[in-house]
Amino acid sequence: MRRLGRNINGYFGETIAIASVLSDCVAAARAHGWTTEEIPVGENLSLFGLTRRAERLSPAASPAPRVYISTGIHGDEPAGPLAARQLLQENAWPVGVDLWLCPCLNPAGFALNRRENAQGLDLNRQYLDPTAPETRAHIAWLERQPNFDLCLCLHEDWESHGFYVYELNPDDRPSLAEPMVQRVAEICPIDLSDSIEGRPARGGIIRPSIDPRSRPQWPESFFLLTRKTRLSYTLEAPSDFPIAVRVAALVTAVQAGLEFWSQNRALIK
Ligand SMILES: [Zn+2]
């Protein structure tokens, strides 16, 4: 599979009608027993927070593990919300897991087909000291949710040669990165560069040595790691390949990651 060569200095691929994708997401969520919440951001702008609690066999049963998935924080990365829609429609989640899903954190950016929000802010650099109304609303919503056992943030990268993943796993728990990359490799090229986005990479996996305090512009994943979780993955689909391939790569990575994680949960806990 070859790169399309379409993205020169930015994303020049397909765009999506975000309102229609989100209404599909909400319809699928409601059909499959999710609770849907509209998180107000400002006039004519809101985010969706979708949640589904696992069925408890008895009130004394131990709490279900919690998984949080988000996407659509960059308005020029359509594969993320499309993957969220497909995951909701297919409804093939691991049994006994509580789920949280934000299918689009930057709807205004999608309307403009650009990375930033309407004010030109990169929302994925806002999580230490947020000024963007989207990020403030999202953080306030996150603070009302319990902590998560696993977080997955779905993105695209217009420059990359293939799929890759960032892992934040400070406790050295069994890694989901390899199972995700292995499964995605069956359907989408993997970026095997030694360096991706200026960070050392190996086999499509970046394990940044991070002290969030050392970085002033926090992405969502730093907020999650500091405040909500001890295990976080950022999945990056390559935008210079056909949209169907990128959506399949994100869906497959989520499914492979969740599958491995639920099988190894006893180890991971
Ligand atoms: Zn992104």
Side-chain angles (χ1 to χ4, degrees):
M1 198 182 302
R2 296 183 53 189
R3 288 184 62 157
L4 299 170
R6 195 189 271 167
N7 297 329
I8 315 290
N9 296 324
Y11 178 63
F12 289 95
E14 301 79 355
T15 57
I16 52 173
I18 193 64
S20 135
V21 173
L22 288 175
S23 84
D24 291 349
C25 285
V26 168
R30 288 192 178 137
H32 296 301
W34 293 64
T35 302
T36 61
E37 185 183 346
E38 241 180 285
I39 308 162
V41 170
E43 226 175 301
N44 302 320
L45 189 62
S46 55
L47 309 175
F48 284 105
L50 314 176
T51 54
R52 190 174 77 176
R53 300 303 183 113
E55 272 181 53
R56 303 287 297 277
L57 295 176
S58 79
S62 55
R66 306 183 188 114
V67 175
Y68 165 83
I69 302 171
S70 73
T71 191
I73 198 166
H74 290 138
D76 57 354
E77 301 177 6
L82 294 178
R85 177 174 73 178
Q86 186 174 330
L87 287 161
L88 285 163
Q89 288 173 340
E90 289 181 356
N91 195 39
W93 305 98
V95 176
V97 172
D98 286 351
L99 297 161
W100 282 256
L101 174 58
C102 292
C104 184
L105 293 174
N106 182 12
F110 278 91
L112 300 163
N113 185 33
R114 75 169 187 200
R115 179 179 175 92
E116 299 84 6
N117 74 349
Q119 288 80 43
L121 297 168
D122 183 338
L123 301 182
N124 210 30
R125 301 288 181 271
Q126 282 277 311
Y127 280 80
L128 180 59
D129 187 14
T131 56
E134 291 92 339
T135 314
R136 288 183 170 178
H138 181 221
I139 287 178
W141 178 82
L142 280 171
E143 282 174 339
R144 293 200 303 275
Q145 315 306 320
N147 287 347
F148 306 119
D149 296 285
L150 170 66
C151 292
L152 304 175
C153 302
L154 279 50
H155 284 253
E156 295 197 73
D157 180 347
W158 62 266
E159 289 172 292
S160 78
H161 304 295
F163 174 86
Y164 65 93
V165 55
Y166 289 93
E167 178 176 65
L168 298 176
N169 181 6
D171 303 333
D172 211 15
R173 298 176 188 192
S175 173
L176 312 185
E178 282 89 358
M180 289 197 272
V181 167
Q182 263 172 29
R183 191 85 71 77
V184 172
E186 294 166 16
I187 53 156
C188 174
I190 305 299
D191 192 329
L192 298 173
S193 313
D194 299 335
S195 169
I196 302 176
E197 295 283 304
R199 293 194 182 77
R202 198 170 180 174
I205 301 167
I206 304 173
R207 295 189 165 101
S209 58
I210 39 116
D211 177 358
R213 288 163 302 180
S214 69
R215 293 254 311 262
Q217 295 191 314
W218 280 13
E220 182 192 9
S221 61
F222 280 17
F223 177 87
L224 293 170
L225 191 74
T226 309
R227 304 284 293 277
K228 303 301 291 184
T229 194
R230 297 295 290 169
L231 188 61
S232 165
Y233 292 86
T234 298
L235 317 182
E236 297 275 358
S239 321
D240 210 23
F241 289 86
I243 184 83
V245 172
R246 291 135 57 189
V247 174
L250 292 176
V251 167
T252 301
V254 169
Q255 288 170 338
L258 288 180
E259 217 171 275
F260 182 87
W261 176 77
S262 22
Q263 283 161 6
N264 289 271
R265 216 154 60 204
L267 289 172
I268 291 175
K269 269 204 154 179

